Amino acid sequence: QSALTQPRSVSGSPGQPVTISCTGTSSDVGGYKYVSWYQQHPGKVPKLIIYDVNKRPSGVPDRFSGSKSANTASLTISGLQAEDEADYYCCSFTNAATYVFGTGTQVTVL
Amino acid sequence: QVQLVQSETEVKKPGASVKLSCEASAYSFTDYYVHWVRQAPGEGLEWMGCINHHSGHSGYSRKFQGRVAVTRDTSTKTAYLELSGLISDDTAFYFCASEPLVEGDWGKHFDTWGQVTLLTVSS
């Protein structure tokens, strides 16, 4: 199972929106609603920020949102803040009853 | 608050085996999945396998099949990851993470993470 494809990095100024794509196949992203997103600050444990494509756990700011179209899922940060500077990973359930993570995207706040 | 407490840093030689642990302290329920995810230094996250604490049902990434075993001890609410035939590329941070039940079905995401175990494989 190959890793899902994410852009290596994205950047934006505070208050600007940024979107991270996550491209897989019909065997993973395209086949299920089970896409989740994780935020990881340097040296820290990953944190769940989106599950089931577009649901936010309690406590996650509503500037984080998720969507999916065909084999590509997306995470949007609607108004970038300094504390959003981190690495972001998508993850999908697969038709082999396994999970596959994305390659990871580094978000930089300019 | 539910927590996953992982074992300490391990240093192993190539060819050896290692068994990492993950205790689900303060878990009041008995049915949950524990997943193992690793991250090589400076690299991305990689899913390795999982186990259902209640039934013992397990699943593995094809990449690690034959070299990894995920087990659990229900009396101590501890899950284990055993990796054999260690190579230098197994040097990584290893996380355990739990999968919640959402409206009676498995959530297929990871909401609670352990604090990480560093495994170094070096001669």
Side-chain angles (χ1 to χ4, degrees):
Chain A
Q1 187 82 44
S2 298
L4 308 175
T5 301
Q6 297 181 231
R8 191 165 185 84
S9 64
V10 298
S11 61
S13 300
Q16 280 191 326
V18 293
T19 296
I20 302 168
S21 60
C22 168
T23 301
T25 69
S26 58
S27 297
D28 38 64
V29 174
Y32 302 93
K33 69 172 186 175
Y34 303 117
V35 176
S36 51
W37 290 87
Y38 301 85
Q39 176 192 62
Q40 186 181 33
H41 287 103
K44 300 296 186 181
V45 174
K47 174 188 174 184
L48 175 71
I49 55 172
I50 294 286
Y51 67 97
D52 289 359
V53 174
N54 57 14
K55 296 178 181 175
R56 273 189 318 275
S58 63
V60 174
D62 60 6
R63 65 179 181 275
F64 292 95
S65 63
S67 62
K68 191 184 82 164
S69 177
N71 296 337
T72 297
S74 298
L75 173 72
T76 297
I77 309 174
S78 60
L80 205 54
Q81 297 192 8
E83 61 263 35
D84 299 335
E85 187 160 290
D87 294 328
Y88 292 81
Y89 295 91
C90 60
C91 182
S92 177
F93 182 71
T94 82
N95 65 354
T98 62
Y99 294 81
V100 60
F101 280 96
T103 49
T105 298
Q106 182 177 56
V107 171
T108 301
V109 182
L110 302 173
Chain B
Q1 171 151 359
V2 296
Q3 276 190 312
L4 296 175
V5 180
Q6 296 188 230
S7 47
E8 298 298 317
T9 296
E10 296 269 9
V11 180
K12 295 290 183 181
K13 293 191 182 302
S17 297
V18 70
K19 191 171 185 178
L20 310 181
S21 68
C22 172
E23 181 184 357
S25 68
Y27 268 47
S28 59
F29 38 90
T30 59
D31 198 5
Y32 53 92
Y33 270 94
V34 172
H35 297 256
W36 289 91
V37 175
R38 77 176 188 182
Q39 185 172 37
E43 302 295 325
L45 301 173
E46 183 173 36
W47 184 83
M48 300 181 71
C50 65
I51 190 164
N52 180 285
H53 179 79
H54 179 67
S55 68
H57 174 264
S58 59
Y60 302 101
S61 166
R62 187 171 295 181
K63 174 178 177 177
F64 300 101
Q65 273 185 335
R67 207 161 69 87
V68 69
V70 180
T71 58
R72 95 288 191 211
D73 181 337
T74 55
S75 65
T76 60
K77 291 191 173 180
T78 301
Y80 299 94
L81 172 76
E82 187 162 15
L83 192 57
S84 59
L86 291 172
I87 59 176
S88 59
D89 285 352
D90 292 321
T91 294
F93 297 96
Y94 288 75
F95 299 94
C96 62
S98 65
E99 174 183 353
L101 265 174
V102 179
E103 298 174 352
D105 200 2
W106 294 110
K108 295 182 174 53
H109 56 269
F110 319 125
D111 65 343
T112 301
W113 292 68
Q115 86 280 12
V116 82
T117 298
L118 173 60
L119 168 65
T120 301
V121 181
S122 173
S123 54

